[in-house]
């Protein structure tokens, strides 16, 4: 099956460099709408400029769109092809987030602090932190975002070689006499590409309906 990667930014370039073609999949860059009528997979890792063209192609060929962008316009429209929403592609992290979604309401009423740290170049919405906040019924404006390297290397112990690409999340839940701390850290590029490959493999194996899927549903069904 053809697998197109749409997006010329850092993530798109990393996926093109990391994903490999084999007997099941052929990895190709998305330049413009292909003339082929072959059912394919399109991984959208771009800003959204090409989303309409991609949607037209997927509609025409019954192809599957894997949407990696946070807050994509595709989330709020009716679709006639399968869409998989994956604002985060680190599967272990996604399973942790799913655990929070299932149990987060248990911590309602407690003092909750949520801190996220990413590389200074990250300007987009911290989608993972927003999802964690929603799971814990925490207002999004309560998320503490850190882009300063001093606390990153000091308090969070992010190694200098990973300052340019990392994702750190820390949750503290306090009732005054007891505190629970949960922490996740992702460094480098490999976890994202590996997760995308797992998602692509699941899409190839499953017969998806023409609707929007959350990656959480893939986790619940044990597809990844």
């Amino acid at each position: 099956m053809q697998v197109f990667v749409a997006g010329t930014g850092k993530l798109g370039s990393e996926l093109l460099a990391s994903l490999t073609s084999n007997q099941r999949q052929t990895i190709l860059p998305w330049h413009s709408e292909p003339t082929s009528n072959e059912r394919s997979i399109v991984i959208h890792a771009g800003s959204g400029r090409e989303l309409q063209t991609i949607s037209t192609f997927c509609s025409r060929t019954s192809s599957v769109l894997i949407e990696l962008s946070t807050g994509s316009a595709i989330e709020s429209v009716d679709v006639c092809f399968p869409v998989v929403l994956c604002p985060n592609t680190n599967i272990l992290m996604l399973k942790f987030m799913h655990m929070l979604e299932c149990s987060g309401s248990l911590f309602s009423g407690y003092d909750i602090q949520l801190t996220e740290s990413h590389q200074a170049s990250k300007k987009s919405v911290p989608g993972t932190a927003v999802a964690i906040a929603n799971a814990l019924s925490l207002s999004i404006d309560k998320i503490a975002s850190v882009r300063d390297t001093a606390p990153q290397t000091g308090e969070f112990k992010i190694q200098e070689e990973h300052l340019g690409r990392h994702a750190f999340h820390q949750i503290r839940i306090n009732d005054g006499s007891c505190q629970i701390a949960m922490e996740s850290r992702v460094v480098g590029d490999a976890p994202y590409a590996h997760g995308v490959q797992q998602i692509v493999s699941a899409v190839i194996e499953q017969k998806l309906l023409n609707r929007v899927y959350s990656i959480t549903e893939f986790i619940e069904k044990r597809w990844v």
Side-chain angles (χ1 to χ4, degrees):
M1 179 177 283
Q2 294 182 120
V3 179
F4 294 98
V5 177
T8 57
K10 189 170 185 178
L11 179 56
S13 299
E14 288 169 1
L15 293 178
L16 282 171
S18 301
L19 298 177
T20 56
S21 298
N22 53 42
Q23 292 182 339
R24 302 181 68 197
Q25 63 187 37
T26 302
I27 307 300
L28 299 166
W30 174 279
H31 294 303
S32 59
E33 183 177 351
T35 57
S36 169
N37 290 321
E38 179 182 345
R39 186 172 186 268
S40 307
I41 296 172
V42 182
I43 302 170
H44 180 236
S47 62
R49 290 190 300 270
E50 296 180 292
L51 194 55
Q52 183 57 56
T53 304
I54 292 170
S55 297
T56 300
F57 170 75
C58 290
S59 177
R60 177 170 60 83
T61 60
S62 297
S63 293
V64 180
L65 169 60
I66 298 176
E67 176 58 275
L68 304 186
S69 299
T70 301
S72 171
I74 203 73
E75 297 179 23
S76 57
V77 300
D78 292 329
V79 294
C80 55
F81 53 88
V83 177
V84 185
L85 299 179
C86 312
N88 186 320
T89 62
N90 184 309
I91 301 301
L92 178 59
M93 184 64 187
L94 287 168
K95 291 180 177 180
F96 171 69
M97 290 168 61
H98 180 55
M99 178 186 73
L100 289 179
E101 289 173 5
C102 293
S103 305
S105 60
L106 295 174
F107 303 103
S108 177
Y110 290 93
D111 176 40
I112 300 176
Q113 296 176 327
L114 173 58
T115 302
E116 63 88 12
S117 170
H118 287 80
Q119 60 275 7
S121 61
K122 181 176 176 62
K123 306 299 182 184
S124 59
V125 175
T128 300
V130 170
I132 292 173
N134 289 337
L136 295 170
S137 299
L138 182 69
S139 175
I140 293 174
D141 61 12
K142 298 295 185 182
I143 300 172
S145 295
V146 177
R147 299 293 181 267
D148 187 347
T149 58
Q152 288 174 345
T153 56
E155 181 181 354
F156 304 150
K157 302 294 188 283
I158 305 296
Q159 296 179 341
E160 287 194 14
E161 61 264 33
H162 296 308
L163 289 176
R165 187 65 186 273
H166 73 275
F168 173 90
H169 298 85
Q170 184 184 77
I171 305 165
R172 293 185 182 275
I173 305 173
N174 199 325
D175 73 351
S177 59
C178 176
Q179 178 174 272
I180 296 173
M182 291 175 279
E183 182 180 292
S184 71
R185 60 181 67 223
V186 181
V187 295
D189 309 328
Y192 299 99
H194 180 65
V196 171
Q197 181 57 70
Q198 288 181 269
I199 296 164
V200 168
S201 296
V203 168
I204 292 173
E205 292 170 3
Q206 305 300 326
K207 291 186 177 181
L208 301 182
L209 302 176
N210 293 335
R211 65 176 179 87
V212 175
Y213 292 80
S214 165
I215 188 59
T216 301
E217 187 172 346
F218 277 42
I219 291 171
E220 291 173 342
K221 294 179 181 295
R222 307 294 177 90
W223 290 349
V224 292

